[in-house]
Amino acid sequence: MLEAPLQRMLFGLDDDHVILEPRSGQLLHPEALVAFERLSADAQMAGFDPLVVSGFRSFERQRTIWNNKVAGSRPVLDSAGEPLDMAQLSPEQAAFAILRWSALPGASRHHWGTDFDVVDAAAMPADYRLQLSPQEVADNGIFGPFHRWLDAQIAAGRSYGLFRPYAEDRGGVAPERWHLSYAPRARELQQLLTPERLRAQLQRCELALGDVVCGNIESIFQRFIRVPEECYPDNFDFP
């Protein structure tokens, strides 16, 4: 059994473990915030202006997103970012389609505050409508120059422990170049998140397609939740 405060942190049941990033108003784990501030200082010297657009996300917020996607009140996208017709999918296909772009409640790395989405505010016109789409972060996209710079920082171990857990398509979560994770704490929390613990948490709430999810929890965990150990960086300076 996990101690209650650790369980609440692991599943995003409260926000006691996160603090305010003042510019964006987003909540981050304190150590992730330090890493982001140091990375931001380097980025600004290179002509970029990193902005956090999504930090901590609670269990209930993630559950609402999930249930709305199952209900059809939020779009579910295919791998190319195009809307799917959910009526044409089996319950299992529907669950796996949602998982391509959206985490299960209780399994989102955003619960921990170690993970956040970032863009280059300097590249956005005043009236720009942010999408967080693959096109925006492609090399020729609006945020391409910032992410190429960030690629080099991560590769050189100069990103203060921040890395991209979804840098490539491993057959589960779609690549999210905008998603950064603070490796030291995220690695520890991932080790605590097991299929059994996640199933027990999900069985306590009203989750659309909950029976399908819990019945496939092992395969879902390996395909969509677990970030392989080799993806975590070891060659970096701690903040």
Side-chain angles (χ1 to χ4, degrees):
M1 286 288 293
L2 294 175
E3 295 183 2
L6 187 55
Q7 179 164 318
R8 291 195 297 270
M9 177 181 183
L10 186 64
F11 295 121
L13 302 178
D14 62 36
D15 60 5
D16 291 348
H17 58 288
V18 289
I19 60 175
L20 186 70
E21 196 285 304
R23 182 183 173 204
S24 65
Q26 297 291 327
L27 297 171
L28 300 181
H29 187 286
E31 293 178 43
L33 177 55
V34 172
F36 173 69
E37 288 174 340
R38 295 194 176 186
L39 183 72
S40 294
D42 294 346
Q44 287 163 6
M45 292 179 63
F48 305 108
D49 187 14
L51 176 68
V52 176
V53 293
S54 181
F56 168 79
R57 199 178 300 144
S58 72
F59 181 93
E60 281 305 310
R61 174 61 180 154
Q62 199 69 34
R63 188 174 73 92
T64 297
I65 292 171
W66 176 273
N67 285 350
N68 285 345
K69 288 196 171 188
V70 175
S73 54
R74 290 177 69 108
V76 178
L77 307 179
D78 63 16
S79 295
E82 297 298 325
L84 285 167
D85 182 357
M86 293 288 279
Q88 301 301 313
L89 304 180
S90 70
E92 183 173 311
Q93 288 172 330
F96 278 64
I98 295 170
L99 286 164
R100 182 70 171 157
W101 290 103
S102 295
L104 277 171
S108 173
R109 297 169 69 94
H110 283 271
H111 293 336
W112 309 336
T114 58
D115 287 49
F116 53 92
D117 301 333
V118 63
V119 300
D120 177 21
M124 291 191 296
D127 60 348
Y128 186 75
R129 183 180 177 185
L130 181 67
Q131 300 293 316
L132 282 185
S133 68
Q135 293 77 19
E136 289 176 320
V137 298
D139 281 350
N140 61 352
I142 187 172
F143 303 126
F146 168 64
H147 284 289
R148 289 197 301 272
W149 174 84
L150 188 51
D151 284 341
Q153 298 300 109
I154 293 173
R158 295 195 299 266
S159 60
Y160 307 102
L162 295 170
F163 79 110
R164 292 189 177 97
Y166 307 124
E168 60 186 75
D169 193 342
R170 297 188 292 270
V173 177
E176 294 185 352
R177 206 176 184 188
W178 55 80
H179 184 133
L180 296 182
S181 178
Y182 182 62
R185 298 292 79 77
R187 174 187 268 143
E188 291 177 353
L189 289 161
Q190 179 177 289
Q191 290 171 349
L192 295 174
L193 184 62
T194 64
E196 295 75 22
R197 285 171 173 161
L198 179 57
R199 182 192 288 114
Q201 178 62 37
L202 294 176
Q203 288 173 337
R204 298 187 187 105
C205 73
E206 293 185 13
L207 183 72
L209 296 179
D211 290 346
V212 172
V213 168
C214 289
N216 289 274
I217 198 67
E218 294 285 349
S219 61
I220 287 172
F221 195 87
Q222 293 303 317
R223 182 175 171 186
F224 294 99
I225 299 173
R226 179 182 176 272
V227 172
E229 182 64 25
E230 60 267 22
C231 294
Y232 285 84
D234 292 314
N235 60 329
F236 59 85
D237 293 329
F238 283 87

